[in-house]
Amino acid sequence: MSAHAATIDHHHDPSTSTGIPNKKLLMWAFLASDCMFFGSLISTHLIYRLHPPAGNPDPKEVFAPALTSFSTFILLMSSLMMALAVNAIQKNNVKSCRWSLLTTIFFGAIFLTCQVYEFTEFVHIKKMTISNSLLGTTFFTLTGTHGCHVAIGVLWLALMYVRSFKPTSGGGGWFNHQLVHALALLATILLTMKVVLGFTFPIVEHGFTGAVLGAAAKTEALYILLTAAGYGFLTWLARPAGPVEFDERHAVDVETMGLYWHFVDIVWIVIFTAVYLLEYL
Amino acid sequence: MRLTSFLKTLLRWELAVLLVSGCLTSLAHASDKNFFVMDGHQSTIFVDGSVARSQNTVFYTTCAVTFVIFVLVAGTLAYATIKFKARSAADEHAEPPPQSHGNPLVEIALIAASVFALVIIAIPTLKSIWYTHDVPAEEKAKGNAYEVNAIGYQWWFKFEYPSVQINGAGTLVTANELVIPAGQPVRVNVRTTDVIHSFWVPKLAGKVDMIPNRANYLWLQADKPGYYWGQCAEYCGDSHAVMRFRVIALGPKEFNEWLDGQVAPARSVSSPVAASTAAKPQFASLRKPDSYKTNEAGITTKFDVNPLEAWRAKQFPEKNEDPALVGRGKELFKSKTCQNCHAIRGHGPLGVTAPDLTHFGSRTTLAAGLLENNTEQLHRWIHHPGAVKPGNKMQFGIGGMAGYQKKDDKGHWTQNIALTTDEELALVAYLESLK
Amino acid sequence: MAHDTTAKSEFLPKDSPAPAARPGLLWRPTAKTGLMSWLTTVDHKKIGFLYGVFALFFFLVGGVEALLIRAQLMFPNGDVLTAQQYNTMFTMHGTTMIFLAVMPLSAAFFNFIMPLQIGARDVAFPRLNAFSLWTFVAGAIILNIGWFLPADTHGAPDGGWFGYAPLTSKTFIPKHSIDYWVMGLQLLGVASIAASLNFIVTIINMRAPGMTMMRLPVFTWMTLITAFLLILSFPAITIALVELMMDRQFGTNFFEVSGGGMPILWQHLFWVFGHPEVYILILPAMGIVSEILPTFSRKPLYGYPIVVFSGACIGFLGFAVWSHHMFTTGMGAVATAAFSLLTMCIAVPTGVKMFNWIGTLWGGHLMMRTPMMFALGFLWMFMIGGFSGVMHSAAPADAQQQDSYFVIAHFHYVLIGGSIFALLAGIHYWFPLMFGRKVSEFWGKLSFWIIFIGFNVTFFPMHFLGLNGMPRRTFTYDPNLGWNTGNLVATLGAFMLGIGIAIYFAVMIYTYFKGEKVGRDPWDARTLEWSIPNPPPEYNFRVIPTVHARDAFWYEKHHQEEIAKETAEHAKDDEAHGGIHMPDQSIWPLVASVGLLIVGFGVTYFDSNPAPGIHAKLGTTLAGFAVVLVGIYFWSLEGNAGYHIHVDDKGNVLSDDHAKH
Amino acid sequence: MSAPAHAVAAHDHDVSKFQIYVQIAMLLAVITGVEIIAVFLPFAKWFLVTGLVVLSTVKFMFVIFYFMHLRWDKPFCTILFFIGLVLAAGTMWALIALFKAEASLPLPV
Ligand code: HEA
Ligand code: HEA
Ligand code: CUA
Ligand SMILES: [Cu+2]
């Protein structure tokens, strides 16, 4: 399906009283509510940072600014890709939209991987757990909740990507096809994260030497294979087929999802400043 | 249909009002006056302290202002309702009245009036907030403020006198009855280590919560010597309702005498222990502890006549003390592990998790102000504390310290402290002797 | 020009190719009667009705709990209940009345009436609406499940309705009762937020042509503001509950003093929610009263714009006063003063409403029907409750009143005299619309007077009890404190109130089956919901109305010819567009809610102790999540195609194209 | 009701959106970089805190107005979101102020 001139005004939906599509309005209202949600969580964290109990670990010693900066950057880039995905579908460019969605998913998964890595490091190396100090309690709950938001976002993106293959017409088979596709995509994302982490930990712990790499590769071999198979399968699933029921008329669905995704990004902007950067002053 | 028409007549609201006021008046005749006059022991209206008085003044201001507004607004409402009521079917089917929409001038005037009314309330409110917040600066400067600590536990109060230090035993500690100097500001630091409680002596001052990890305080000043009822005012679990206490305000001389008495270790009346001392027949007339109903009151009315005198009387030893029995009680207090939790200064190791009993006999109440401190009630308490005070820690233990019952490996409750009636009475006699 | 209000997008071409075949799993239920029709309904009226039924049921449950409380306190040293039972009773009474009675009863009206008032055929997201309903039911089940489980290890919640930490921590209440409370409220929160988002979108986006914001009926306006309060305040308690749950289940330190936690934080988070919550309870009531007074005065609402504006003001200010519940927590003089003054400010916009209601009566033709009686009762009682609120707002006075029966008196005046009176008025008022039958005036008024008198006899003495120092949440009291008469009177009043409410219910049930049938618009009312036949047809409006004025229906009645012509034209337009669009029924919202119920059960019922508890816990919880996911995934896959029906000018359904699916 | 065809109107600004998005992403990355470096520089604390708050707000606004299209959407979306944002920010501010007060200091252990 190639791009052709857009025919819809995406900023006015004549079927509603205000011209704002219902779904978009719903999402904005939800985000307003989510502000309070994160507001309460961030307040809790900051209040306890104002009054740290004796025996709290020093956040400066726990945090790893390089990693956090990296994942912040990644999340920003994912936002860019998300914006491009919306832009593409609004111009009826399904193919470009799919690629942008995939990239967004990819960045989202990297962010999550970083977070898994960060949490593991804090727990096992820095010895800060969710229950052994107040800092751990508020930090893990806040960033964990944000992580859950990201994970839901990735899930949503993945399902939207798969949905973009729904055929316009045909037998009931499309349903099973969608299901298989969705499961394959999710499994591949998880496998990829697992493999990346499987390499990262030994590298960080023992340095980047061939021996370690080899050892890691051996234990990871099965997962690498599976992951590769996953990508192959996905490519096959995404092969060009008949016309799909996904075009600029669905832009509002993508846009709504995009609003959610960007919001997760701006929450991170606040968390990055309030939780990480402020500690270094 | 006769019933219907009869009831219809009744429905005329004039009649209804008559009916209600009739009911109320007859009830009024049949009942206690303290309710209508609002001068009960915990009255916030008839107060005996400057802080409570300031709070009460604010209350009266709000009452006055809202009363005036009520008369005006409710009067208009009543007038409108009666005046514009459709009185007949014809009325109801008449042309609708003019469809008017409102008048901004009227609105603005009413808003202005409301704001004005609120300002009248706000001024004394602000004044009182600052007055009641802490001991007035000039009193503080003169060093007049007397400082005590009140610590809430599930479900009793500990009181500390940081200015009174006892050699080898730290701060002077007492429980459930706070004795303060009258006519002098008292600053109470309120603390807790378990759950939230609240320190409230209505006749002296409004409440302030005891919150874990928070340094709250309040101040109060009793006008004159007196005996005041206090109550935990924040829901704190099973026995919150019966977590009470008393405040006794004394004149300077009497207060200092009391302090001296408290600093002294517990009184000893024991004679050498007789192997098995049976309780004297005088106890035979005691009411059986098991005969009490759940929640049955543990106070007598003689108390209310002159509670301060009742308190004073308590400061002296009973006449019919039986040294042998007391001696046995003293031994039992050790052997039955009471002292793991309770301190009796001078008589052995000092338990800290339960009320200090050093001068227990000189208190007017026990079990956190729930029962009057007399032989009968003390017996009732020691016999089965859990029946008197639901969930009570003396029954079920505190942390690792077992009480009357403890949990076995399977998690079932089993008896830990078992007492015969004779043993109970010996303990009663012993505790009563601790003046 | 007619709006096809349920279609999600106008862009879907009407002549699109036959949609992809529907696999068996995405079966669309079509039953219009029987159990399945209720479980799969997406009709806002049916959902509203179900909300109402559940709410009234829980109102009775909460009422029975209240009667037990009163029975225990009838005499000093009463022993009807044990201390533990009593504590459970007031916790569940408060929680039930607020979350399971008043809120869903308001939601019932939001659902049933609001779309009709704005001239819509449904809410914006019909299936989301069903999901809200069933999640509410799931929450109610979790909240009450403890009643049926052993009291020593489970039991119903007993931490008070605001569950102050650290009493609610595992150290002090190790049994599961608090877990049920936490999870139950959590699910109710999900339900409320989902429903509110739906209402917001509906009101903003689904108005009939000509229905500008400043022509919205006041009830709809209050619905909108309430929905905003809900979505903005519930997150605070959600977070508080999450933190509490983490403390209880994963050993975190939010409110754990030994780890440096500050229990006072719970109070702040709770009341950041809690105070807006009380306006969530009263604003719908104010909306109802603002409909009833004009109707029975046969005059428009006095000062409509300012009534609307003051509603918004109350909502906004409501977020700035939460600490007035914490005057005794030692906040310091400055904070206390600030919250004291801000709280007083709320009396101004509330007063404005009061004045305008009286202004509405002024010069009207007051028809003293039962709904009007309840509405007038509201004015009186709410005013008194508001005044005692102002007394609380003066912090020094409140230091004596807080946690005493004075507070109990205050909030029962605003909650019963306010919310409940107005809701009972609303039931009477809209009963003819909902069921086509009218409640007998005689029995209606009789129940009103018994309730009115019983209510005052119950709660007025509580002011005196409070001032006389009686603390709340006490299962017993001694006879020498001057509280005996007050409690006795209150208890007698409560039983009288109970009789009044019993009569009210009996009459409603009788009327539902046997009541006098009435035609359209029995009250000569003013708003659009009365312009349709009763009970309303599934599609609500045969032709979407065009609104020309505030009090749209009143205008229609006085410009009949003009309107008739317009309607006929629009009917033709509609037919040309393929008839009336109706949303499809769906089972998936119910499935997702059942999933949440399983999650709730998994989190609460099982121990977090290592083996075997933790496995059962994880397993059940994950299974629940899986069900939720399946529900949501299928829900989105099945789409919201809908079908069309055609009706004649009498409103009879001629045909529908349901068969196509 | 305007048919979709009417809405095909002026969309010229859409052409350049791609560039706008990329530019903004770069800007955001740069601001983030500045923030990270700034915290390690020896400025006065109040200055840095203010700076961080301002920079984060700028980022925040860019994302919501451009990536989230508020700039091109009906103003009502902005109003709706800002109701939540302002209330949340106000509540956060009030909570933190309350806990900064002396009365809220936790007890020394
Ligand atoms: C429907 C619910 C509802 C409503 C509408 C209100 C309305 C108000 N409430 Fe109430 N409140 C509760 C439900 C409600 N409250 C509940 C449930 C609790 C207890 C929670 C618990 O502890 O369990 C509580 C507790 C509570 C407290 C804490 C008490 C304590 O625990 O110490 C305070 C303190 O300020 C307060 C104040 C107010 C005020 C100022 C109003 C105002 O909005 C009232 C405004 C109305 C009027 C004033 C009347 C009409 C106005 C006029 C006629 C105009 C002129 C009047 C003046 C200028 C004065 N309320
Ligand atoms: C909307 C909310 C609402 C409503 C409507 C009510 C209604 C009532 N409440 Fe409620 N109440 C609260 C909200 C509400 N309450 C809250 C939030 C608390 C604080 C809880 C806490 O501290 O945590 C509280 C606390 C509370 C207390 C204080 C308990 C304590 O602190 O120790 C009391 C005491 O009298 C009381 C009494 C009543 C009474 C008599 C009614 C009556 O109006 C009830 C009327 C209804 C009936 C009487 C039912 C009638 C039904 C029948 C007669 C049918 C019978 C049928 C069968 C038996 C099959 N309530
Ligand atoms: Cu302690 Cu209530
Ligand atoms: Cu409030």
Side-chain angles (χ1 to χ4, degrees):
Chain A
M1 186 171 279
S2 66
H4 61 80
T7 51
I8 298 174
D9 181 352
H10 291 289
H11 299 292
H12 187 84
D13 175 353
S15 71
T16 67
S17 315
T18 52
I20 306 166
N22 284 345
K23 287 182 184 168
K24 200 163 160 181
L25 197 63
L26 181 89
M27 184 47 75
W28 274 116
F30 171 74
L31 295 183
S33 165
D34 229 19
C35 284
M36 274 313 266
F37 197 80
F38 277 104
S40 314
L41 265 177
I42 297 174
S43 307
T44 304
H45 177 79
L46 291 180
I47 284 168
Y48 281 133
R49 290 304 300 143
L50 272 180
H51 303 302
N56 230 11
D58 177 6
K60 264 191 233 171
E61 271 157 28
V62 179
F63 292 165
L67 179 73
T68 320
S69 308
F70 172 68
S71 57
T72 306
F73 180 74
I74 287 295
L75 207 56
L76 277 176
M77 288 307 112
S78 81
S79 247
L80 171 64
M81 295 320 292
M82 186 70 241
L84 294 182
V86 176
N87 201 29
I89 194 64
Q90 284 183 344
K91 293 189 182 147
N92 216 358
N93 189 341
V94 175
K95 211 163 157 194
S96 157
C97 175
R98 278 184 194 150
W99 275 111
S100 302
L101 285 179
L102 273 183
T103 328
T104 317
I105 296 174
F106 180 66
F107 284 152
I110 295 185
F111 180 85
L112 284 178
T113 315
C114 289
Q115 196 166 39
V116 174
Y117 175 79
E118 185 187 41
F119 280 17
T120 329
E121 185 193 332
F122 287 2
V123 171
H124 292 294
I125 299 170
K126 309 279 175 64
K127 302 289 177 214
M128 177 173 86
T129 71
I130 195 164
S131 54
N132 75 357
S133 68
L134 200 49
L135 179 68
T137 293
T138 59
F139 172 83
F140 285 119
T141 308
L142 171 55
T143 53
T145 308
H146 178 265
C148 286
H149 272 67
V150 177
I152 292 171
V154 169
L155 183 71
W156 192 353
L157 282 159
L159 293 180
M160 185 65 76
Y161 169 77
V162 171
R163 195 202 167 296
S164 75
F165 291 94
K166 183 178 175 189
T168 310
S169 54
W174 66 268
F175 180 77
N176 297 335
H177 202 274
Q178 288 267 305
L179 210 60
V180 171
H181 200 158
L183 289 177
L185 181 55
L186 291 174
T188 313
I189 296 173
L190 287 177
L191 278 169
T192 315
M193 285 171 63
K194 166 114 186 73
V195 170
V196 172
L197 283 170
F199 277 101
T200 317
F201 284 121
I203 292 174
V204 171
E205 269 169 56
H206 310 291
F208 197 91
T209 67
V212 173
L213 207 60
K218 222 181 342 181
T219 45
E220 293 293 312
L222 176 66
Y223 290 113
I224 296 176
L225 253 144
L226 275 174
T227 317
Y231 282 111
F233 189 43
L234 284 176
T235 320
W236 182 74
L237 282 170
R239 72 197 182 282
V244 292
E245 193 197 303
F246 188 77
D247 54 39
E248 67 171 314
R249 286 170 301 169
H250 300 90
V252 63
D253 294 342
V254 182
E255 192 182 350
T256 307
M257 178 178 71
L259 291 180
Y260 175 83
W261 188 259
H262 294 304
F263 182 77
V264 172
D265 182 27
I266 54 179
V267 169
W268 186 254
I269 290 179
V270 177
I271 292 181
F272 180 61
T273 313
V275 175
Y276 292 92
L277 289 183
L278 281 183
E279 299 293 351
Y280 289 94
L281 296 184
Chain B
M1 271 293 91
R2 286 229 329 270
L3 172 74
T4 322
S5 56
F6 169 69
L7 287 172
K8 256 185 184 142
T9 334
L10 260 190
L11 269 183
R12 303 254 322 274
W13 60 283
E14 297 90 334
L15 262 179
V17 170
L18 267 179
L19 206 75
V20 182
S21 46
C23 284
L24 282 181
T25 344
S26 49
L27 260 167
H29 283 294
S31 62
D32 56 340
K33 86 167 210 324
N34 304 52
F35 170 68
F36 289 97
V37 185
M38 289 192 280
D39 63 350
H41 295 312
Q42 293 190 187
S43 172
T44 66
I45 302 294
F46 291 86
V47 293
D48 289 325
S50 54
V51 173
R53 198 167 305 111
S54 164
Q55 288 159 336
N56 193 32
T57 313
V58 175
F59 173 68
Y60 276 138
T61 315
T62 63
C63 275
V65 172
T66 50
F67 183 75
V68 171
I69 301 177
F70 179 76
V71 169
L72 294 175
V73 178
T76 321
L77 176 55
Y79 176 80
T81 314
I82 294 164
K83 170 96 196 294
F84 299 109
K85 189 156 112 182
R87 270 154 227 287
S88 60
D91 251 8
E92 292 195 350
H93 294 108
E95 266 301 290
Q99 304 289 301
S100 63
H101 285 280
N103 179 338
L105 274 184
V106 177
E107 310 271 6
I108 291 172
L110 288 170
I111 291 176
S114 310
V115 172
F116 176 72
L118 289 176
V119 172
I120 299 183
I121 297 178
I123 291 169
T125 299
L126 290 181
K127 266 197 206 150
S128 179
I129 287 177
W130 264 271
Y131 176 71
T132 56
H133 177 244
D134 202 349
V135 182
E138 65 273 14
E139 297 280 352
K140 243 192 205 159
K142 278 189 272 173
N144 260 356
Y146 195 83
E147 188 146 336
V148 294
N149 301 337
I151 302 133
Y153 294 91
Q154 275 181 328
W155 290 277
W156 59 281
F157 290 89
K158 180 201 268 184
F159 299 115
E160 293 176 350
Y161 293 76
S163 58
V164 185
Q165 296 293 330
I166 301 168
N167 273 345
T171 319
L172 171 62
V173 174
T174 170
N176 297 331
E177 292 194 352
L178 174 64
V179 181
I180 56 166
Q184 183 183 347
V186 177
R187 194 178 197 267
V188 189
N189 299 309
V190 292
R191 302 284 185 273
T192 172
T193 51
D194 46 32
V195 303
I196 302 178
H197 306 276
S198 192
F199 180 97
W200 188 28
V201 198
K203 284 193 162 221
L204 297 182
K207 61 191 74 62
V208 170
D209 295 351
M210 306 165 138
I211 301 175
N213 209 357
R214 207 174 157 86
N216 279 350
Y217 58 88
L218 76 152
W219 78 282
L220 46 81
Q221 175 171 347
D223 297 337
K224 51 179 197 295
Y227 185 96
Y228 303 102
W229 269 251
Q231 164 89 37
C232 171
E234 186 63 66
Y235 174 55
C236 51
D238 290 347
S239 268
H240 156 69
V242 288
M243 178 169 171
R244 304 172 189 162
F245 65 104
R246 303 286 192 274
V247 173
I248 294 108
L250 301 175
K253 182 160 164 285
E254 204 182 359
F255 179 70
N256 284 330
E257 283 167 15
W258 177 81
L259 271 186
D260 292 342
Q262 291 293 303
V263 171
R267 185 168 159 262
S268 281
V269 236
S270 44
S271 65
V273 189
S276 79
T277 319
K280 285 275 166 60
Q282 81 212 37
F283 289 113
S285 62
L286 284 185
R287 194 170 151 190
K288 295 277 164 297
D290 289 326
S291 71
Y292 285 92
K293 292 202 312 261
T294 320
N295 295 342
E296 186 172 333
I299 45 155
T300 53
T301 38
K302 92 166 188 253
F303 220 71
D304 291 350
V305 182
N306 196 339
L308 188 56
E309 278 316 314
W311 181 83
R312 287 187 174 122
K314 268 284 183 193
Q315 305 309 308
F316 304 101
E318 316 286 324
K319 286 184 199 77
N320 51 0
E321 254 170 18
D322 174 347
L325 201 57
V326 171
R328 178 149 186 248
K330 188 171 174 183
E331 284 308 311
L332 283 168
F333 197 81
K334 295 196 177 92
S335 60
K336 294 290 178 183
T337 68
C338 310
Q339 63 177 11
N340 288 358
C341 303
H342 291 283
I344 297 182
R345 193 156 30 86
H347 288 195
L350 304 178
V352 290
T353 49
D356 182 292
L357 300 178
T358 308
H359 299 283
F360 173 76
S362 65
R363 303 209 278 260
T364 48
T365 62
L366 68 97
L370 173 61
L371 308 175
E372 194 178 322
N373 188 3
N374 58 29
T375 322
E376 220 159 45
Q377 296 301 334
L378 185 54
H379 186 200
R380 178 184 174 197
W381 171 254
I382 288 177
H383 177 69
H384 191 173
V388 179
K389 225 169 163 176
N392 189 328
K393 303 287 180 206
M394 176 145 148
Q395 185 78 24
F396 296 105
I398 308 170
M401 202 79 80
Y404 273 46
Q405 279 168 278
K406 68 172 177 208
K407 267 209 171 112
D408 66 11
D409 305 338
K410 293 206 189 74
H412 299 299
W413 288 104
T414 55
Q415 192 75 18
N416 178 45
I417 300 179
L419 300 171
T420 64
T421 305
D422 276 350
E423 288 168 340
E424 284 165 13
L425 292 173
L427 280 166
V428 169
Y430 170 55
L431 291 169
E432 292 285 77
S433 76
L434 299 171
K435 297 288 177 177
Chain C
M1 258 306 288
H3 273 233
D4 185 353
T5 44
T6 39
K8 286 301 158 301
S9 167
E10 275 298 302
F11 316 137
L12 291 168
K14 297 287 186 270
D15 53 354
S16 61
R22 188 165 277 287
L25 262 176
L26 295 186
W27 139 88
R28 294 244 63 158
T30 52
K32 293 284 176 216
T33 53
L35 182 65
M36 237 13 217
S37 76
W38 290 102
L39 293 181
T40 62
T41 187
V42 293
D43 179 357
H44 70 96
K45 298 177 291 299
K46 278 190 165 175
I47 290 178
F49 177 71
L50 285 178
Y51 262 117
V53 170
F54 286 122
L56 291 174
F57 169 74
F58 281 113
F59 178 55
L60 289 184
V61 173
V64 171
E65 285 157 3
L67 291 184
L68 284 170
I69 291 177
R70 285 314 324 162
Q72 166 81 355
L73 297 181
M74 188 164 183
F75 298 109
N77 305 107
D79 61 352
V80 177
L81 304 171
T82 66
Q84 288 88 350
Q85 282 167 340
Y86 183 89
N87 296 344
T88 307
M89 217 49 84
F90 69 69
T91 303
M92 283 309 284
H93 163 68
T95 313
T96 303
M97 282 299 193
I98 288 183
F99 294 99
L100 305 182
V102 174
M103 281 176 70
L105 200 52
S106 303
F109 287 121
F110 296 165
N111 263 302
F112 204 109
I113 304 300
M114 179 271 288
L116 299 178
Q117 284 198 327
I118 62 174
R121 290 219 170 100
D122 209 323
V123 292
F125 301 94
R127 288 176 300 168
L128 184 63
N129 208 14
F131 171 75
S132 306
L133 168 72
W134 298 118
T135 306
F136 155 70
V137 176
I141 292 175
I142 295 281
L143 202 53
N144 279 288
I145 205 165
W147 291 117
F148 308 103
L149 298 171
D152 52 340
T153 47
H154 294 264
D158 51 358
W161 90 275
F162 37 72
Y164 276 0
L167 179 62
T168 40
S169 70
K170 206 132 197 143
T171 324
F172 297 105
I173 304 188
K175 50 187 187 164
H176 287 300
S177 57
I178 300 297
D179 298 323
Y180 298 130
W181 185 76
V182 169
M183 205 60 208
L185 288 193
Q186 209 68 294
L187 292 189
L188 294 175
V190 172
S192 303
I193 292 184
S196 306
L197 293 172
N198 209 343
F199 295 143
I200 291 177
V201 176
T202 307
I203 298 174
I204 305 272
N205 256 358
M206 316 267 297
R207 284 165 285 137
M211 179 63 89
T212 59
M213 289 308 270
M214 286 320 271
R215 283 179 186 164
L216 284 182
V218 178
F219 176 69
T220 297
W221 253 114
M222 294 306 130
T223 307
L224 182 64
I225 296 170
T226 307
F228 268 104
L229 289 182
L230 274 160
I231 64 165
L232 296 172
S233 68
F234 256 90
I237 193 181
T238 304
I239 290 303
L241 291 170
V242 165
E243 294 178 351
L244 181 58
M245 191 186 78
M246 304 264 291
D247 272 5
R248 287 182 66 87
Q249 315 255 353
F250 304 115
T252 53
N253 298 309
F254 287 106
F255 311 116
E256 189 53 53
V257 180
S258 59
M262 293 191 269
I264 189 83
L265 179 64
W266 166 272
Q267 297 192 18
H268 280 293
L269 290 179
F270 184 89
W271 291 115
V272 164
F273 149 81
H275 188 79
E277 167 71 16
V278 307
Y279 293 116
I280 289 168
L281 301 173
I282 201 68
L283 287 176
M286 292 176 162
I288 293 173
V289 167
S290 306
E291 298 295 323
I292 292 177
L293 291 178
T295 299
F296 293 96
S297 308
R298 314 192 72 205
K299 257 180 87 215
L301 185 68
Y302 194 82
Y304 169 94
I306 196 159
V307 170
V308 167
F309 180 70
S310 64
C313 249
I314 293 176
F316 191 77
L317 271 177
F319 277 93
V321 299
W322 77 82
S323 287
H324 67 212
H325 296 272
M326 299 167 61
F327 281 149
T328 59
T329 59
M331 291 184 292
V334 177
T336 304
F339 280 106
S340 194
L341 297 186
L342 278 166
T343 303
M344 288 176 194
C345 291
I346 291 198
V348 176
T350 319
V352 164
K353 294 203 152 191
M354 203 71 211
F355 303 141
N356 281 292
W357 288 324
I358 298 177
T360 308
L361 300 177
W362 198 268
H365 284 184
L366 311 192
M367 302 193 293
M368 290 298 180
R369 300 296 153 72
T370 314
M372 182 69 158
M373 305 290 272
F374 274 104
L376 289 173
F378 167 95
L379 295 191
W380 286 88
M381 297 300 102
F382 178 74
M383 179 163 45
I384 295 178
F387 287 149
S388 55
V390 170
M391 296 175 186
H392 282 309
S393 73
D398 186 60
Q400 290 283 24
Q401 295 155 358
Q402 192 262 354
D403 265 327
S404 77
Y405 263 76
F406 199 86
V407 183
I408 305 283
H410 157 62
F411 70 71
H412 282 92
Y413 263 85
V414 279
L415 282 170
I416 304 179
S419 309
I420 295 283
F421 269 38
L423 290 167
L424 295 184
I427 294 177
H428 261 283
Y429 178 56
W430 279 304
F431 205 93
L433 173 68
M434 292 176 171
F435 308 113
R437 293 176 192 270
K438 194 160 132 352
V439 187
S440 136
E441 275 302 312
F442 168 74
W443 288 102
K445 282 188 181 142
L446 180 76
S447 67
F448 168 75
W449 280 113
I450 299 183
I451 290 175
F452 184 81
I453 296 169
F455 164 69
N456 279 290
V457 174
T458 313
F459 293 102
F460 204 73
M462 291 192 190
H463 292 107
F464 300 107
L465 284 174
L467 295 172
N468 216 351
M470 175 158 171
R472 66 192 280 202
R473 298 176 160 183
T474 46
F475 65 91
T476 185
Y477 56 94
D478 274 353
N480 62 338
L481 292 156
W483 303 335
N484 305 0
T485 317
N487 278 298
L488 180 61
V489 173
T491 301
L492 294 176
F495 281 96
M496 181 167 176
L497 181 53
I499 293 171
I501 289 180
I503 296 178
Y504 184 100
F505 274 83
V507 174
M508 285 299 152
I509 293 168
Y510 173 85
T511 313
Y512 179 83
F513 291 108
K514 293 256 169 69
E516 172 199 350
K517 287 209 164 124
V518 290
R520 183 187 295 215
D521 186 24
W523 312 120
D524 191 11
R526 317 176 69 85
T527 40
L528 277 181
E529 74 270 27
W530 297 102
S531 68
I532 57 175
N534 59 32
E538 203 189 347
Y539 51 82
N540 295 354
F541 295 92
R542 189 173 63 83
V543 176
I544 294 292
T546 304
V547 177
H548 301 276
R550 208 175 280 159
D551 287 349
F553 185 45
W554 184 267
Y555 179 90
E556 276 186 22
K557 285 191 280 192
H558 294 265
H559 300 77
Q560 284 178 358
E561 275 165 39
E562 175 195 329
I563 296 289
K565 223 170 85 205
E566 200 178 68
T567 309
E569 264 170 39
H570 291 172
K572 249 187 260 148
D573 281 359
D574 250 9
E575 261 323 287
H577 277 80
I580 298 174
H581 182 274
M582 300 295 295
D584 275 322
Q585 281 163 243
S586 170
I587 188 81
W588 301 113
L590 177 66
V591 172
S593 299
V594 170
L596 284 180
L597 178 65
I598 300 173
V599 172
F601 196 71
V603 174
T604 52
Y605 180 80
F606 297 106
D607 258 332
S608 48
N609 286 335
I614 192 81
H615 297 301
K617 187 187 198 86
L618 266 179
T620 316
T621 310
L622 289 180
F625 272 121
V627 176
V628 177
L629 270 182
V630 167
I632 294 179
Y633 189 54
F634 282 23
W635 170 351
S636 66
L637 275 189
E638 73 177 359
N640 52 9
Y643 59 99
H644 288 82
I645 56 175
H646 303 269
V647 296
D648 64 12
D649 53 5
K650 300 241 161 42
N652 303 313
V653 177
L654 299 176
S655 69
D656 69 43
D657 57 2
H658 225 131
K660 259 210 281 192
H661 300 284
Chain D
M1 181 180 299
S2 50
H6 289 252
V8 192
H11 270 250
D12 8 29
H13 60 262
D14 272 10
V15 192
S16 55
K17 261 196 192 162
F18 181 83
Q19 268 84 10
I20 297 184
Y21 287 151
V22 176
Q23 282 161 6
I24 288 177
M26 293 307 117
L27 182 70
L28 293 176
V30 170
I31 296 184
T32 311
V34 171
E35 285 181 333
I36 296 168
I37 295 167
V39 289
F40 293 105
L41 296 179
F43 289 121
K45 188 165 174 176
W46 65 266
F47 179 78
L48 280 177
V49 174
T50 326
L52 283 181
V53 171
V54 170
L55 287 178
S56 303
T57 315
V58 169
K59 287 204 283 185
F60 196 101
M61 292 301 158
F62 268 115
V63 175
I64 60 172
F65 279 102
Y66 287 87
F67 284 178
M68 296 165 91
H69 315 159
L70 277 184
R71 183 166 180 270
W72 296 287
D73 257 326
K74 310 268 179 225
F76 185 77
C77 290
T78 315
I79 297 174
L80 184 58
F81 181 64
F82 270 70
I83 293 178
L85 188 61
V86 168
L87 275 178
T91 310
M92 275 181 75
W93 170 80
L95 276 175
I96 290 171
L98 277 166
F99 275 90
K100 262 194 184 150
E102 197 195 344
S104 297
L105 286 179
L107 281 172
V109 201

